[in-house]
Each structure stands twice: as C-alpha cells, then as structure tokens.
Amino acid sequence: MDRRGRPSLTPRELEILRLWVLGESKKATAADLGISLGTINTHLIRIRAKYARLGRPVANKTELLIRALQDGIVTLGEL
C-alpha cells in the first residue's frame, strides 16, 4: 500500500481514531478509554490538522474513516 502522505499520528491518536471510526460515538469512545469528551475532541482536532497539513483534509467522520482505510489504520474486515 502506498503510504505517502500518511500523517504521523501518536499511538494515542491512532487508538482514538480507530475506536471512534469503528464505534458509534465520541461519547462512547471517551467512556471506553476513561477520558473526557473534550479530550476526544482535542485529539480529533489534532488528527484532522495533521491530515490537512498533508493536503488531505477531512471534514467529518466518514472522511476520517476513508482516510483510515486508505492508510491501513482500519480494515474493511473490521467494519
């Protein structure tokens, strides 16, 4: 897989991205990780900013899911 343009996400950002795109809500992701909804939002803002800096902006959860699939962060089998 061509990984050019994949952002350097921290392990925590990867964890949050995976859980959120595979889960139902930010609130559920926060509860699963035992952190606040505000912390989830902060991580997602940083993830989006990293994609935007690479010229691969994401505006919503669907677009983040597409990027995660393109970059091998999640697989179709996990959906």
Side-chain angles (χ1 to χ4, degrees):
M1 173 178 284
D2 183 4
R3 300 267 171 121
R4 288 179 296 159
R6 180 178 174 179
S8 285
L9 301 179
T10 67
R12 189 60 159 185
E13 289 169 343
L14 285 168
E15 179 180 34
I16 288 169
L17 177 57
R18 284 181 51 75
L19 285 173
W20 185 54
V21 300
L22 296 173
E24 294 184 19
S25 69
K26 292 178 193 177
K27 187 175 179 178
T29 301
D32 287 347
L33 295 174
I35 59 179
S36 74
L37 182 58
T39 299
I40 293 291
N41 286 327
T42 297
H43 281 292
L44 291 172
I45 288 167
R46 290 180 182 154
I47 291 165
R48 285 186 175 107
K50 288 179 179 185
Y51 272 109
R53 281 194 298 271
L54 295 172
R56 300 175 69 203
V58 290
N60 54 47
K61 186 175 185 176
T62 301
E63 290 178 6
L64 264 177
L65 172 59
I66 291 167
R67 295 290 185 233
L69 286 165
Q70 289 171 334
D71 292 341
I73 296 167
V74 297
T75 67
L76 285 175
E78 293 176 289
L79 299 177

